[in-house]
Amino acid sequence: MEALERHVTAAPLDVRAERRGLAGRSLPARSPARTSAAAAAAAAAIIITMNPDLRREREAAAFQSELLTHVLDGGAERTSRRREIEALVLNDPEFQHEDLNFLSRSQRYEVAIRKSALMVMKLREYGIADPDEIYWFKSFIHHGRPEPLDLHLGMFLPTLLTQATQEQQDRFFMPAWNLEIIGTYAQTEMGHGTHLRGLETTATYDPATQEFILNSPTVTSIKWWPGGLGKTSNHAIVLAQLYTQGQCKGLHAFIVPIRQLGTHEPLPGITVGDIGPKFGYDEMDNGYLKMDNFRIPRENMLMKYAKVEPDGTYVKPLSDKLTYGTMVFIRSIIVGDSARSLSRACTIAIRYSAVRHQSELKPGEPEPQILDYQTQQYKLFPLLATAYAFHFVGAYMKETYLRITGDISEGDLSQLPELHALTAGLKAFTSWIANAGIEECRMACGGHGYSRCSGLPDIYVTFTPSCTYEGENTVMMLQTARFLVKCYAQVSSGQLVSGMVSYLNDLSGQRIQPQQVAARPTTVHINDPASLVEAYKVRASRLVEAAAKNLQGELNRRESKEDAWNRTSVDLVRASEAHCHYVVVKLFTAKLSEISDAAVRAIMTNLCLLYALHGISKHTGDFLQAGILTDAQVTQVYQHVKDLLAVIRPNAVALVDSFDFHDSHLGSVLGRYDGNIYENMFEWAKKSPLNKTEVHESFHKHLKPMQAKL
Amino acid sequence: MAPTRYLRSSASRDVNPDLDIERKTPSFDVEKLTTILDGGAENTRVRRAVEAVIHSDPVFSREDKYFLSQNESYEAAVKKAVHLKKMMHQMKWSWAGSECKYCNRALGGEVAFTLHNIFMESILALSTDEQTAKWIPLAENYRILGSYAQTELGHGTYIRGFETTATFNISTQEFVLNTPKISAMKWWPGDLGRSATHTVVFAQLYIKGKCYGVHPFIVQIRSLHDHSPAPGVTVGDIGPKMDFNHIDNGYLLLQDVRVPRENMLSRFCEVLADGTYVKRGSEKINYFNMIIIRVKMLSNEVVPTLMKACTIAIRYSVVRRQSELMPGDQEAKILDYQTQQQKLLPVLAIAYAFHFMNEYMNELFSKGYREIKQKNFDSLPELHAFSSGLKAIVTEHSTAGVETCRKACGGHGYSLLSGLPSLYTRLAASCTYEGENTVLLLQTARFLVKCLGAARSGQPVPPSVAYLSAVNSERCLVRDKRDLLQPDVYVEAYRHVAIRVLSSAAAKLQALVQSGAEQHEAWHQCTVQLVHAAKAHCHYHVVKSFAEAVEKLGQEAGIQRIMKHLCGLFALHGIFSNTGDFLHDGYISGDQVDMMTASYLDLLAIVRKDAVPLVDAFDFTDETLNSALGSYDGHVYRRLYQWARKSPSNTKVRAGGKQTSPVCIHQGKPTLLSVLWACTM
């Protein structure tokens, strides 16, 4: 019990400050903010309380985890700036609150909205305007969780900026910026998601009053899911089928007031509410919206592009690629989020596995750390490698987007459609794998992973909707496939393609001697990342070709293109996946040469090899069938994966430390930086709502009466 | 939404036409299949009678389930358990009878005191006749409420590592129980936190300074008068979990808690008054009882949960329409998309495969039980190995399958009202309780390696591994894609892979030992491969038992035909997902893989036609499914809307969006980019 008492006194300390202090021992050059006396004192405290297993792990690492943090952040200055922003939040008592695990949904919503409003004020107070810094600030405040203003900040405001006329911006933007108007973006309907043309909400123009009449004609047309719609918003940008002069002109966006300013009561003709409890997203009031002959002025249609004249004449929009840009941008964030969520899960599972002891490896010896079991390493280390891989993919997408768009209105946007098509698949690829990976991490923590104190259930339920939102993953994979098949057709007709798909150009040579693909001498070197990139490339080209040929076969047999496409879609998804897998391996490999520190580069090279080889070991069929690898090589791949596990093992804790998640951001008792898990699980459990009274009221209400009767 | 009363005939009901049409032309007799799944028409009748009783009682309503806090869930579960106890008494249903099983099915398992039964079972299994006579009547009458405290905070699967101590004090004839440190606290036992008055505590027995290993002790933890914790006992709830929040999983800290000598459950070992330790009888029977819990869990909990998820996702997928398949047509049912079929139909096949696997395993255990009653324990190692591996793969695939179903329902699958998230979170626990899956697979692998050695040296081996003695075939000889649908062809392919993977793991093990590695180190080096081998073995058995079950359906031609398709789908999906295993040594060729893929895709289209009847045959009531997406009548959207409006977020809280006071603005508008960036999620 003594250890427990000691710990409890240490618990309120800022563990992150302690952590910096500790890192400082091996790394003298630090930002000035970190050398404060408080941090030094805290560092002294941590040396007493740090779990000895974790301390040993950190001391044994072959590289400095701080340097890898710099690589992830994009430079030491950015790391220190990120930590400064983080400290703004951590040291601000206004952002503190009770552990969310013990709060009801309505309490969580209240905490979140309080913090969101505070966040908007403080952003301005501190003058934080750099996009990355806004992102950090927000993410620290909400611990990477959703919040009720997400749609207001992320969709409502940007849509005003891109699609509203000057007059509309004058009317709506500043009130919205000041949170007098809080808006959301209402697209999805109960019966319609991905297929936008199927949306049923109507906006019918009435020239007599110069108004649009909005209607939800069926149950399936009720707007459903938009974040912040249920309780928070007083306005919504509503997507509806525009009818004017008796004709349907397709989907358009309208600014619709839904609640009375001041009283916040729903306006007459508006039925609005929360869609009820979900798997996660407790703090988000995803909502429904039903409109019955609700009238808005003509000027509330977003008319920067398409217009309806006062007499009802419809003016067509000029085509714009801006929406592509926004979507690429959001996808790059989802890919980054896949990396971050998986990194958090890996951090928790790997630290816990270094602290947890179980069974015997050698008869008679003490129970070993579970991280010493090959099966545990095999579960966790490939995921760790994946988290790093996805991090670099997300960074690449963001950079590419910024490079292409430059200043959005003036940039050369000709590459956007290709990027749009390719990033669809990457969004699906990374979110599927991260999704499954988080659960693997949770299960690798055994029973304790199932407790909410592990933080893992929460990471999972928060992350998993990214597989369906912003484009359902299978649909995304098929979009990429459509692009790949198109490129394949171009190559077949003698044109060259460029960019990430340029490998398809090689196929034209191979077609002359079709036997050659399989018979090609195997030249894959399984210790060389560049050679593995080639192997993945050949696999992708083979699967794209196979899917394209199967599609052609179906097209020859059927009348309907859609039907043929549908009958090939399993093949097409596989082709997309292989393409994305190739891109990830390629980008990870490319990153290695940019790392200047030799020790960091060495460990990252091993992680990259592990990522590539483990991927092969999970898809040996593709590599064998295409003749890229022989049986003997596949056996070598299996062996080499296991060898790499042993190489990663001493560096595993340092590798997750490099992700640099603060304990408060991680939200996990199992993943604590100091590793004092069991004492803190007990402390945490004591706060359980069921423990409020020593004898639960159910005893008096139900148990005692029953015992009395029997 | 109150789920509408379930009626068997859709003719009399207002059913969504998109769902109705799916039921018009089933290729088989649905009701007949239901009775087969239930194990006979009489079982179906009893089950429906129980369901009718349970569903007509408002105390058992589950409508509010998704809206409850942890405290409310717990209270509701206690209330239902008390009510159920009363009802079972009135109806004269016994807790060991089939009615109890069906009650549990109808209630979705959401009752408290489930560990009370385990408490009683453990007393029956571990105690002397005297102890049984003392404790069982008290428990049966709920005078005491029991739990079963094995796992500790720092120790799970590895029982020898437990740290709780029970020290015998000769002078007072008592055991003194202690939790020497934090990691030794009992942690996780169900019903322990708030409900239980007694629990069976597993502790290291010390007599005169010597440790005798882990033994069970009955410990009173709460007063029978006012329910307050007993002296020296610190007990509480371990806090919110991913699910099971209706259960008060608890912690228990013991400080010098004294129990009389008679409280050590002494069927197998006893401590005499003078401190002499006496061992008697074989614990093997106890061991058998423990593994049978695993088998029951698979058929009572795990597979039905997967079946529910299939029911919800498949019904929803014929109601939900999305995009166009034919230009100009109305939007297509999402189940008509190949990619949707490829997600759901293999999961449906898995559900049926596991059902038949369970039946096979139950038979095996009945046979084993008969032998063991005659003190013949020869089959025990095999039963243990078999059930361990199967528990691991059945829970792993079922859990993944439920999540596949959830994701296949798109955004609506994320709503708790779909019923799918809670099916998943319930099932997800099964991968780690009753034995962590990787540990179990390695136990199976240990048995397999031993049997492979025996088989190769010509010794007799148990039936489930007899295949290891036969010569492994070298090539699959199929030339046409239709031949791949022959059960003997794919069963043979699975057999081949099982032998190859195990042989190569064993060879590696051997090589390491010969090159000087110690046995345990060599084993450790091969564990990834050994897990692979154990899975291949289990997969082979599931395919084989399914194929054999299909054979036996001869008198029901329609059902046999569709089950054969499902069996083929299960087998080919497994090959499709792991082609490398089959290609590795050239057992099948690249061309055969392409044929197999073609056959597999053909089967999707065939099974698609019967998908709804195949889930209807599971015969879950709407109340049991408790899902806005999966109800029998298919009125998905209406139900979702009406139910959501009852959410406390709409009824209890007044419009809560707080209007924050306008903030003074600094100069100028932000750029689009900075605003965009603020969208994090």
Side-chain angles (χ1 to χ4, degrees), chain B residues 636-673:
Chain B
V636 167
Y637 300 115
R638 201 161 73 191
R639 193 169 261 110
L640 193 56
Y641 183 48
Q642 287 165 0
W643 206 352
R645 296 192 74 169
K646 292 187 184 171
S647 167
S649 45
N650 294 322
T651 54
K652 290 191 182 152
V653 187
R654 265 186 62 78
K658 286 189 183 162
Q659 290 299 307
T660 46
S661 56
V663 190
C664 204
I665 292 310
H666 65 96
Q667 53 292 348
K669 270 194 330 196
T671 65
L672 171 62
L673 203 58

Side-chain angles (χ1 to χ4, degrees), chain B residues 428-486:
Chain B
S430 67
C431 292
T432 48
Y433 67 56
E434 294 302 336
E436 196 277 329
N437 280 353
T438 303
V439 174
L440 292 179
L441 285 165
L442 286 171
Q443 287 173 3
T444 303
R446 204 174 278 280
F447 173 79
L448 291 175
V449 169
K450 206 189 278 176
C451 292
L452 182 70
R456 286 196 171 152
S457 57
Q459 294 163 27
V461 290
S464 70
V465 286
Y467 72 96
L468 297 175
S469 306
V471 182
N472 209 1
S473 47
E474 286 189 355
R475 287 267 177 287
C476 173
L477 299 171
V478 163
R479 291 218 176 75
D480 184 282
K481 72 171 183 176
R482 271 164 306 185
D483 295 339
L484 281 158
L485 299 173
Q486 293 308 318

Side-chain angles (χ1 to χ4, degrees), chain A residues 378 429 433 536 539 543 574 577-578 581 611-626 628-629 634 637-638, chain B residues 576-581 583:
Chain A
Y378 188 68
F429 184 81
I433 287 172
Y536 273 93
R539 167 188 179 230
L543 287 175
R574 281 180 73 199
E577 283 179 331
H581 210 156
Y611 178 76
L613 292 173
H614 179 261
I616 292 174
S617 78
K618 287 285 159 192
H619 299 92
T620 49
D622 291 348
F623 291 89
L624 285 168
Q625 200 183 354
I628 305 164
L629 294 174
V634 166
V637 167
Y638 286 132
Chain B
F576 176 79
S577 314
N578 297 290
T579 46
D581 278 354
L583 279 164

Side-chain angles (χ1 to χ4, degrees), chain B residues 138-213:
Chain B
L138 289 170
E140 268 183 335
N141 292 324
Y142 283 59
R143 288 282 166 207
I144 62 175
L145 270 171
S147 173
Y148 182 85
Q150 186 171 304
T151 321
E152 296 176 358
L153 185 49
H155 308 275
T157 310
Y158 186 66
I159 291 174
R160 272 184 288 164
F162 287 171
E163 296 178 285
T164 305
T165 59
T167 309
F168 186 57
N169 181 333
I170 297 182
S171 60
T172 61
Q173 292 288 301
E174 287 170 324
F175 293 103
V176 184
L177 282 99
N178 268 300
T179 305
K181 53 194 210 191
I182 289 266
S183 58
M185 288 177 82
K186 293 295 174 187
W187 199 271
W188 277 112
D191 299 339
L192 177 67
R194 299 281 96 170
S195 306
T197 60
H198 287 67
T199 186
V200 176
V201 171
F202 285 79
Q204 302 284 2
L205 168 64
Y206 281 87
I207 309 170
K208 295 177 193 162
K210 186 179 168 197
C211 181
Y212 287 84

Side-chain angles (χ1 to χ4, degrees), chain B residues 62-230:
Chain B
R62 298 168 72 220
E63 194 190 344
D64 286 341
K65 169 186 158 74
Y66 305 118
F67 303 140
L68 301 183
S69 70
Q70 194 195 355
N71 263 312
E72 291 164 337
S73 298
Y74 170 66
E75 190 182 331
V78 169
K79 191 175 165 189
K80 283 181 193 177
V82 168
H83 193 67
L84 183 64
K85 164 84 189 150
K86 219 180 332 177
M87 171 178 282
M88 289 184 61
H89 186 71
Q90 279 165 4
M91 306 291 292
K92 300 194 171 33
W93 293 340
S94 97
W95 62 267
S98 61
E99 285 94 350
C100 185
K101 185 175 93 182
Y102 295 137
C103 283
N104 205 38
R105 169 173 159 134
L107 292 166
E110 284 148 26
V111 279
F113 316 149
T114 45
L115 264 281
H116 186 67
N117 286 352
I118 305 276
F119 174 74
M120 286 200 277
E121 279 170 24
S122 65
I123 289 174
L124 289 172
L126 300 170
S127 67
T128 60
D129 293 346
E130 269 169 61
Q131 289 172 323
T132 303
K134 174 177 177 188
W135 295 106
I136 291 295
L138 289 170
E140 268 183 335
N141 292 324
Y142 283 59
R143 288 282 166 207
I144 62 175
L145 270 171
S147 173
Y148 182 85
Q150 186 171 304
T151 321
E152 296 176 358
L153 185 49
H155 308 275
T157 310
Y158 186 66
I159 291 174
R160 272 184 288 164
F162 287 171
E163 296 178 285
T164 305
T165 59
T167 309
F168 186 57
N169 181 333
I170 297 182
S171 60
T172 61
Q173 292 288 301
E174 287 170 324
F175 293 103
V176 184
L177 282 99
N178 268 300
T179 305
K181 53 194 210 191
I182 289 266
S183 58
M185 288 177 82
K186 293 295 174 187
W187 199 271
W188 277 112
D191 299 339
L192 177 67
R194 299 281 96 170
S195 306
T197 60
H198 287 67
T199 186
V200 176
V201 171
F202 285 79
Q204 302 284 2
L205 168 64
Y206 281 87
I207 309 170
K208 295 177 193 162
K210 186 179 168 197
C211 181
Y212 287 84
V214 173
H215 288 74
F217 301 85
I218 294 191
V219 179
Q220 178 167 354
I221 55 172
R222 283 181 182 274
S223 152
L224 294 182
H225 168 62
D226 63 4
H227 214 59
S228 61

Side-chain angles (χ1 to χ4, degrees), chain A residues 624 631, chain B residues 474-476 496 500 580-589 592:
Chain A
L624 285 168
D631 291 358
Chain B
E474 286 189 355
R475 287 267 177 287
C476 173
H496 174 88
R500 179 182 65 74
D581 278 354
F582 296 82
L583 279 164
H584 189 93
D585 57 351
Y587 181 76
I588 61 172
S589 66
Q592 285 170 329

